[in-house]
Amino acid sequence: MPRADRRVLIVAYYFPPMGLSGVQRIARFVKYLPEFGWQPEVLTIDPAGYFAYDASLLDELMQRGIPIHRTTSLDPTRLFGRSRQVALPAESSRRKLAALSHWLFVPDNKIGWMPAALRRGRAVLAERPFDAILATAPPYTAALIGQRLAAEAHLPLALDFRDDWVGNPRHVYPTALHRAAHLHLERRALTAAGAIFTINDRIRAAMLGRHAGVVTPEAFTVLPQGFDAADFHPPHGTEDGAARTDRRCRFVYSGVFYDRQKPDFFLQALARVLDRHPEWRDVVEAYFVGLLPAYVPALIASLGLGPIVTATGYKTHP
């Protein structure tokens, strides 16, 4: 294993013990960077109310001795209290809150993290030499924090985008002025970065198209979403490692439903198919592993799918 003789400060708002999908990519970056000669240190938040927590993700990194620097953050999650799991809001409420957030906060409602993150980041950078800064977004506030710290410390900046910024389909711009402000911040961050990572080519092409002639194609690298092979031993089996012996066809959805993502059509189609082929009820099952909207259990029952569909709730990563 190469010696981790270069040090990188990683700016990440979403980080274990917070759970869900937003923490997985950067947690694995942190886990494996030492194998490529980079010693990571993480600048993140002291978690407040959130939809899911997973201590197992944090334990794995703590066992590897990864330094993690936590700060407070003056953002809306503080309204939920400290380190408390909260329920997903109803979709109608989520949309209203999102609309209000898009009006009030640029680039996002995590902008209140910036003052504390800059203070702590400056202190960490003053303690020992670093070779680079990597910021992962969303929230896009993290990119602004990384940009500022890199400029002040005269360090190269890398930006990792798990979602598009200005072209994010879930980002609504209340006015042309709002969009122009985001476009300006995006351009400033991209031009400050020596390396830009995106999860797919569509995001890379969109960013290049918006900033043609300002940001060069050579600055971009597509690093697709992946998986950690160490999570899959044995590769096929049940929780206790024993191979499955049943012949059931199992559909599994692992994740979160919100916005236009919802299980209604799948459940309705499954009920229709089983009505036409009742004999399949003995060989078909479906699992939802993660957070479901509050109305879904009643929908499952109304479709007569209670014996077929299992909702496990959120599970730890293992």
Side-chain angles (χ1 to χ4, degrees), residues 241-314:
R244 286 180 59 189
T245 58
D246 64 75
R247 300 290 296 171
R248 300 178 71 83
C249 176
R250 178 181 296 168
F251 296 90
V252 179
Y253 180 91
S254 172
V256 182
F257 290 100
Y258 71 105
D259 199 6
R260 293 183 178 88
Q261 295 171 244
K262 52 187 180 180
D264 303 36
F265 300 123
F266 168 77
L267 292 170
Q268 292 162 1
L270 180 60
R272 183 176 298 182
V273 167
L274 294 177
D275 284 343
R276 294 176 180 174
H277 301 276
E279 71 277 12
W280 289 1
R281 286 182 171 271
D282 295 329
V283 295
V284 173
E285 60 188 12
Y287 277 76
F288 292 106
V289 184
L291 304 182
L292 281 177
Y295 72 88
V296 173
L299 175 62
I300 292 171
S302 70
L303 293 171
L305 294 175
I308 305 297
V309 179
T310 300
T312 70
Y314 185 77

Side-chain angles (χ1 to χ4, degrees), residues 168-185:
N168 191 323
R170 289 194 172 97
H171 205 136
V172 178
Y173 300 102
T175 68
L177 187 61
H178 282 82
R179 189 181 189 280
H182 279 268
L183 192 64
H184 169 73
L185 292 175

Side-chain angles (χ1 to χ4, degrees), residues 37-299:
W38 288 89
Q39 175 58 47
E41 297 194 21
V42 181
L43 177 63
T44 187
I45 64 161
D46 185 17
Y50 193 55
F51 305 120
Y53 284 93
D54 187 348
S56 70
L57 293 171
L58 181 61
D59 290 344
E60 184 176 20
L61 300 179
M62 296 296 287
Q63 291 169 8
R64 292 170 177 259
I66 305 297
I68 301 173
H69 309 280
R70 298 191 181 275
T71 78
T72 187
S73 175
L74 296 177
D75 66 67
T77 64
R78 303 291 136 173
L79 299 175
F80 296 125
R82 188 177 183 278
S83 297
R84 186 170 69 85
Q85 191 161 318
V86 298
L88 282 175
E91 183 58 25
S92 58
S93 299
R94 188 201 67 80
R95 287 178 179 272
K96 292 175 182 177
L97 292 171
L100 180 62
S101 179
H102 293 154
W103 261 104
L104 297 178
F105 303 108
V106 177
D108 46 54
N109 62 16
K110 307 304 186 293
I111 191 66
W113 181 39
M114 179 174 276
L118 289 176
R119 285 195 299 270
R120 188 60 181 273
R122 289 164 181 150
V124 172
L125 292 170
E127 289 174 0
R128 50 196 162 275
F130 280 78
D131 299 277
I133 293 175
L134 166 65
T136 182
Y140 307 102
T141 291
L144 304 185
I145 293 168
Q147 173 195 339
R148 179 82 66 86
L149 290 175
E152 292 178 1
H154 304 289
L155 291 173
L157 171 68
L159 297 177
D160 177 56
F161 289 96
R162 308 185 314 277
D163 287 311
D164 198 353
W165 184 339
V166 173
N168 191 323
R170 289 194 172 97
H171 205 136
V172 178
Y173 300 102
T175 68
L177 187 61
H178 282 82
R179 189 181 189 280
H182 279 268
L183 192 64
H184 169 73
L185 292 175
E186 181 184 61
R187 177 169 297 189
R188 197 169 71 180
L190 293 180
T191 54
I196 305 163
F197 308 126
T198 64
I199 62 169
N200 57 44
D201 192 64
R202 177 171 296 197
I203 295 175
R204 181 199 67 84
M207 288 184 163
L208 272 174
R210 287 193 296 270
H211 306 287
V214 179
V215 183
T216 65
E218 292 75 23
F220 284 85
T221 301
V222 175
L223 290 179
Q225 301 284 46
F227 71 98
D228 187 348
D231 289 339
F232 295 89
H233 295 293
H236 303 290
T238 60
E239 249 181 39
D240 60 4
R244 286 180 59 189
T245 58
D246 64 75
R247 300 290 296 171
R248 300 178 71 83
C249 176
R250 178 181 296 168
F251 296 90
V252 179
Y253 180 91
S254 172
V256 182
F257 290 100
Y258 71 105
D259 199 6
R260 293 183 178 88
Q261 295 171 244
K262 52 187 180 180
D264 303 36
F265 300 123
F266 168 77
L267 292 170
Q268 292 162 1
L270 180 60
R272 183 176 298 182
V273 167
L274 294 177
D275 284 343
R276 294 176 180 174
H277 301 276
E279 71 277 12
W280 289 1
R281 286 182 171 271
D282 295 329
V283 295
V284 173
E285 60 188 12
Y287 277 76
F288 292 106
V289 184
L291 304 182
L292 281 177
Y295 72 88
V296 173
L299 175 62

